[in-house]
């Protein structure tokens, strides 16, 4: 059986004759060790701007045959023009000249690339698999023709061998072919492979990391912009709560809401809970607008209160002392109270605490019950700080009066395979209504470990693989449910990774950042590696797992302790069968 390049015939090939010949050359025993190139484009054609050879058949020990296939059901030559089937336009060259020109073009290309191949015989032939062709002419040799009778009676292997042997005999009888020696059984196996490489080389190019990152960001933004319709629908409502699971574009919608308001000159406060998300929001171009204040609610309160956050501040400071100090200043300085025309809260599920709502109530014109605000939150799987969903929604209703609700269920961040894994293992119910991004055919990877050293080794392998796939340090983040003895903190002893991992806020360009899953909530990265998954039980853990997996824009790699494998498999199978 021949080595076919490509290994299967293209679905776009409309010639039944080419399809039949392709399968015969591929299946017959006589073609063993042959290399067959199908539909080979010829950029440097002798007579045309470009051309094509239907088949280039490289036979070790004999030579190279360019085979032109005319799978017509009728053939006419009139006044020097060839008419194939019902084609009304005649071809002045004819199939034999067409095949010969392709052959000479390819031979010239091969010799220019490697002069040691100059003694390899090249020849041409024409196949008419569906018509009898019994015409003798000085324009071609009768042994250069495979017509219907020969095609049906003989296998392709012996037919090709017969043509090349006749070609070698003919070359040996020509005084002008001094370069040819029949004793040279060329090409050999290595030369055959070299010819194939010259005519149809294998190559692999990877999109540059920066270009891929730019393209993906544009893609995600384009799909997220489809969600802007949700803002348009709620435009006439003063107070709106948008809810939806991770990946539905809540943060981008919050930014768009702020941008639209700022364009009309309104004073806007945009706050969130997580420090890393707050830092990211502060780096956006919108944050430089003089009418927009952006950051975490805690940063805003500390700024109003004019106090420095003490090192090791505990829960009582964040939920009591800091809000009290901010409210005291707001009440003392009446000009600061009610200064914002619009308040926007991202991650609102994490900020539903009475003291925080008191501060927001003071800074928005009209207060929370009568003012203008937009809040964005995930009350399904991202309540990681001990809140009760029913209590949180009740508090929001009690403090904020009447408001409209908008539901976001279309995933515009994750690829379908990442979103599906997040749904199954993160126990997202109900599931996303749609996933906008196309399937990139890349499955999330689940890797199991038994010991801490083995986990670190697996982390090193994953990072090495991501770098080979052209991901850079800026594209990757390592997440863990643990704040203490996590895999990345323990560090990799093998170079280069031992110098390339750093805490998220301390990482510089060229270093791979790591942080906790909780701290990275609201953010995303092209490649996410999740470590230290030691068990798979409980609502809190499934929520953490859901948050971690939905951070990935493209590649998701999870390292799991082998003791959790049965629960993972059970969850995947069980949820899939429901």
């Amino acid at each position: 059986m021949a080595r076919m390049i490509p290994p299967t015939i293209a679905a776009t090939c409309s010639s039944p004759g080419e399809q039949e010949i392709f399968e015969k050359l591929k299946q017959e025993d006589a073609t063993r060790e042959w290399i067959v190139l199908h539909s080979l484009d010829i950029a440097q054609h002798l007579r045309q701007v470009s051309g094509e050879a239907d088949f280039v058949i490289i036979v070790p020990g004999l030579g190279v045959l360019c085979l032109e296939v005319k799978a017509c059901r009728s053939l006419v030559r009139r006044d020097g023009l060839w008419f194939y089937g019902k084609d009304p336009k005649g071809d002045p060259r004819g199939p034999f000249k067409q095949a010969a020109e392709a052959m000479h073009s390819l031979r010239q290309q091969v010799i220019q690339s490697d002069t040691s191949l100059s003694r390899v015989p090249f020849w041409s032939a024409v196949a008419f698999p569906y018509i009898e062709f019994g015409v003798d002419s000085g324009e071609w040799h009768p042994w250069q023709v495979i017509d219907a009778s020969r095609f049906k009676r003989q296998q392709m292997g012996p037919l090709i061998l017969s043509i090349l042997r006749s070609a070698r005999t003919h070359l040996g009888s020509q005084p002008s072919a001094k370069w040819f020696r029949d004793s040279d059984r060329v090409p050999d196996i290595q030369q055959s492979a070299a010819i194939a490489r010259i005519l149809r080389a294998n190559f692999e190019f990877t999109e540059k990391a920066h270009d891929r990152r730019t393209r993906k960001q544009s893609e995600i933004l384009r799909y997220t912009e489809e969600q802007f319709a949700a803002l348009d629908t709620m435009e006439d409502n003063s107070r709106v709560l948008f809810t939806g699971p991770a990946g539905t574009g809540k943060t981008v919608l919050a930014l768009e809401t702020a941008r639209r308001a700022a364009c009309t000159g309104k004073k806007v406060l945009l706050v969130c809970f997580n420090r890393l998300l707050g830092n990211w929001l502060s780096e956006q171009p919108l944050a430089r607008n003089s009418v927009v204040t952006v950051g975490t609610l805690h940063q805003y309160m500390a700024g109003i209160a004019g106090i420095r956050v003490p090192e090791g501040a505990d829960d009582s400071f964040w939920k009591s002392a800091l809000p009290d100090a901010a409210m005291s200043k707001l009440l003392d300085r009446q000009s600061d109270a009610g200064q914002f025309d619009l308040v926007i809260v991202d991650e609102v599920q994490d900020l539903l605490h009475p003291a925080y709502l008191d501060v927001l109530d003071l800074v928005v014109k009209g207060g929370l019950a009568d003012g203008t605000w937009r809040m964005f939150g995930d009350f399904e799987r991202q309540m990681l700080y001990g809140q009760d969903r029913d209590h949180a929604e009740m508090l929001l209703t009690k403090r904020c009066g009447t408001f409209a609700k908008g539901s976001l269920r279309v995933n515009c961040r994750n690829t379908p395979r990442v979103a599906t894994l997040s749904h199954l293992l993160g126990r997202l119910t109900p599931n996303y209504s749609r996933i906008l991004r196309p399937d990139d055919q890349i499955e999330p990877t689940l890797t199991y470990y038994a010991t801490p050293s083995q986990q670190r080794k697996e982390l090193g392998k994953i990072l090495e693989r991501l770098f080979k796939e052209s991901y850079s340090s800026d594209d990757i983040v390592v997440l863990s449910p643990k704040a203490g003895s996590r895999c990345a903190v323990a560090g990799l002893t093998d170079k280069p990774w031992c110098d390339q991992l750093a805490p998220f806020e301390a990482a510089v360009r060229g270093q791979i950042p790591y942080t906790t899953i909780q701290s990275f909530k609201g953010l995303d990265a092209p490649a996410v590696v999740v470590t230290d998954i030691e068990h798979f039980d409980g609502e809190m853990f499934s929520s953490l797992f859901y948050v971690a997996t939905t951070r990935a824009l493209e590649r998701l790699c999870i390292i799991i302790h082998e003791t959790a494998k049965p629960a993972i498999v059970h969850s995947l199978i069980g949820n899939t069968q429901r």
Side-chain angles (χ1 to χ4, degrees), residues 450-481:
T451 64
S453 62
Q454 187 180 352
Q455 179 177 211
R456 290 192 292 273
K457 186 177 293 184
E458 293 297 337
L459 175 59
K461 289 179 181 178
I462 289 171
L463 295 177
E464 183 177 357
R465 187 164 66 245
L466 290 173
F467 270 67
K468 285 182 178 178
E469 293 174 12
S470 81
Y471 287 94
S472 68
S473 302
D474 297 332
D475 297 324
I476 306 168
V477 66
V478 180
L479 301 179
S480 169

Side-chain angles (χ1 to χ4, degrees), residues 468-501:
K468 285 182 178 178
E469 293 174 12
S470 81
Y471 287 94
S472 68
S473 302
D474 297 332
D475 297 324
I476 306 168
V477 66
V478 180
L479 301 179
S480 169
K482 294 183 172 185
S485 58
R486 53 182 180 261
C487 178
V489 173
L492 300 177
T493 56
D494 297 334
K495 285 186 175 294
W497 313 120
C498 58
D499 300 321
Q500 285 194 260
L501 287 163

Side-chain angles (χ1 to χ4, degrees), residues 293-308:
T293 301
V294 178
T296 69
L297 180 59
H298 299 95
Q299 289 169 340
Y300 174 72
M301 291 188 295
I304 288 292
I307 62 175
R308 183 185 297 272

